[in-house]
Every structure is written in C-alpha cells, then in structure tokens.
Amino acid sequence: MRYSLTKKQKKIFDFVKSYIQKNKEAPSYEKIMRGVNLKSKNSVYNYVHQLKDRGWITIKIGKCKSMTLIK
C-alpha cells in the first residue's frame, strides 16, 4: 500500500525518478543530497528509507545505487 508523501519526500522521489529515467541507474546518496540541496547523506538515508517504508521505492540493503521505483 502506498502512503502519501510530504513535500520533501516528493521532491526526493521526483529527483530519483528523473535521475533513473535519464541515467538508467539509481543515483547515489551524494547525488541525491546535492540534487535536492540537503546538508548530509544521513538525511538522504532517512528520506530514502521513508520512501521505502511508504511503498514508493525498493532498496537492497548494503547495495549502492540499488533503488527501484514501484510502479
């Protein structure tokens, strides 16, 4: 089940979606951090896991750039 997103979560989801469409791979936390103007990779980690918990993406723990969008 998908839950609605906050403005910041939506901004990150949209960035990830756009990045995957352009580059055919998921962005690193560093690229997300710079792309949405966050101050730390820890913030990105928290938001990415919120997106996962809300059913918008999947990630493989311990695998760099392993995000996939749930359609």
Side-chain angles (χ1 to χ4, degrees):
M1 176 183 215
R2 277 185 165 187
Y3 294 94
S4 62
L5 300 177
T6 65
K7 287 180 184 179
K8 185 66 89 172
Q9 290 166 342
K10 175 90 167 91
K11 185 175 182 180
I12 291 169
F13 179 80
D14 289 344
F15 176 83
V16 170
K17 181 178 178 180
S18 175
Y19 189 93
I20 290 172
Q21 288 172 341
K22 289 178 187 171
N23 298 288
K24 308 298 184 220
E25 68 177 7
S28 65
Y29 285 179
E30 175 101 19
K31 291 197 190 235
I32 296 170
M33 181 183 79
R34 293 180 191 279
V36 297
N37 297 315
L38 289 173
K39 302 275 188 231
S40 73
K41 286 190 263 183
N42 189 52
S43 294
V44 173
Y45 174 90
N46 290 329
Y47 282 115
V48 165
H49 282 264
Q50 290 169 13
L51 290 171
K52 178 186 76 72
D53 294 343
R54 289 173 176 257
W56 287 81
I57 64 169
T58 61
I59 55 174
K60 294 177 184 164
I61 304 299
K63 296 288 184 181
C64 183
K65 300 190 216 189
S66 68
M67 284 177 265
T68 55
L69 306 175
I70 297 176
K71 308 235 185 246

